[in-house]
Amino acid sequence: MEYFLLILGLLFMIIGIIGSVLPALPGPPISWVGILMLYLCKEIPTNYWILGITLLIAVVIGILDYVIPAKGTKYFGGSKYGIWGTNIGLVVGIFTPIPFGFLIGPFIGALVGELIYNSQEKGRAFKAATGSFIGFLAGTFMKVLVSLLFFGLFLVLVWQNRAVWF
C-alpha cells in the first residue's frame, strides 16, 4: 500500500507541475495532493503544520492565479476579451507545432481578443495584450515555483522516511 501511495503522490506531483503551465489544471493544489498522499502512509507520522501551511499556500496561489492576469490586463487598459483571449491563445499555442507556442499564443490571443472588443484602437489593444501577457507570465511563474517547491518538499519527506519504502 505504501508503494502505491508513493507512486500516486509522485504522479500528482508531476501532474501538478504540468498543470502549473496549463490553464485547465490547478497546479499547486494538485501538487499538494501529492504531499497528502505521503502522509496517508500508515508508517509516516502526519505533520498537520506542513499540510496546513502548504494547503493555505496552494489555495492562495490558486486565487492569485485568477486575480493577477485580470489585474495586469485592467492595469494596461484591457477588457475581459483580452483575458479570455489569453487563455484561449495559451491552449491553441500549446497544441500548435510552433516553437514556444505556449508563450506566443497567449499574447496573440489577448491581442485578438482586444481587437474583437474594439478594432479601432490598435495601440490600446496592443498595450492591453502586453498587460495580459505579463500577468499570465507572472501567474505561471508563481505556480511553477510553488509546484517545484512542493516537489522539493515531497522529495525531502520521501528521503526522511525512506525506511518505509527501501
Coordinates of all heavy atoms in Angstrom, one line a residue, residues 2 40-45 161 163-165:
E2 N 2.0 1.2 0.7 CA 2.9 2.4 0.8 C 3.5 2.7 -0.5 O 3.6 3.9 -0.9 CB 3.9 2.2 1.9 CG 3.5 2.6 3.3 CD 2.5 1.6 3.9 OE1 2.5 0.4 3.5 OE2 1.8 2.0 4.8
L40 N -0.6 9.8 4.0 CA -1.7 8.8 4.1 C -1.0 7.4 4.4 O -1.7 6.5 4.7 CB -2.5 8.7 2.9 CG -3.5 9.9 2.7 CD1 -4.3 9.8 1.4 CD2 -4.4 10.1 3.9
C41 N 0.3 7.3 4.2 CA 1.0 6.1 4.6 C 0.9 5.9 6.1 O 1.2 6.9 6.8 CB 2.5 6.2 4.1 SG 2.7 6.2 2.3
K42 N 0.6 4.7 6.5 CA 0.4 4.5 8.0 C 1.7 4.7 8.8 O 1.6 5.1 9.9 CB -0.1 3.1 8.2 CG -1.5 2.9 7.6 CD -1.9 1.4 7.8 CE -3.3 1.2 7.2 NZ -3.8 -0.1 7.3
E43 N 2.8 4.4 8.2 CA 4.1 4.5 8.9 C 4.7 5.9 9.0 O 5.7 6.1 9.7 CB 5.1 3.5 8.3 CG 4.6 2.0 8.5 CD 5.5 1.0 7.8 OE1 6.7 1.4 7.5 OE2 5.0 -0.1 7.5
I44 N 4.1 6.8 8.3 CA 4.7 8.2 8.3 C 3.8 9.0 9.3 O 2.6 9.1 9.0 CB 4.7 8.8 6.9 CG1 5.6 8.0 6.0 CG2 5.1 10.3 7.0 CD1 5.7 8.5 4.6
P45 N 4.4 9.6 10.3 CA 3.6 10.4 11.2 C 3.1 11.7 10.5 O 3.8 12.4 9.8 CB 4.5 10.8 12.3 CG 5.9 10.6 11.8 CD 5.8 9.5 10.7
N161 N 11.8 9.6 5.2 CA 11.1 8.4 5.6 C 11.4 7.2 4.6 O 10.6 6.3 4.4 CB 9.6 8.7 5.5 CG 9.2 9.7 6.5 OD1 9.1 9.5 7.7 ND2 8.9 10.9 6.1
A163 N 13.0 4.6 5.0 CA 12.9 3.3 5.6 C 11.6 2.6 5.3 O 11.5 1.4 5.3 CB 13.2 3.3 7.1
V164 N 10.6 3.4 5.1 CA 9.2 2.9 4.8 C 9.2 2.1 3.5 O 8.5 1.1 3.3 CB 8.2 4.0 4.8 CG1 6.8 3.5 4.3 CG2 8.1 4.7 6.1
W165 N 9.9 2.6 2.5 CA 9.9 2.0 1.1 C 11.1 1.2 0.8 O 11.0 0.3 0.0 CB 9.7 3.1 0.1 CG 8.5 3.9 0.3 CD1 7.2 3.5 0.0 CD2 8.3 5.2 0.8 NE1 6.3 4.4 0.3 CE2 7.0 5.5 0.8 CE3 9.2 6.1 1.3 CZ2 6.5 6.7 1.3 CZ3 8.7 7.3 1.8 CH2 7.4 7.6 1.8

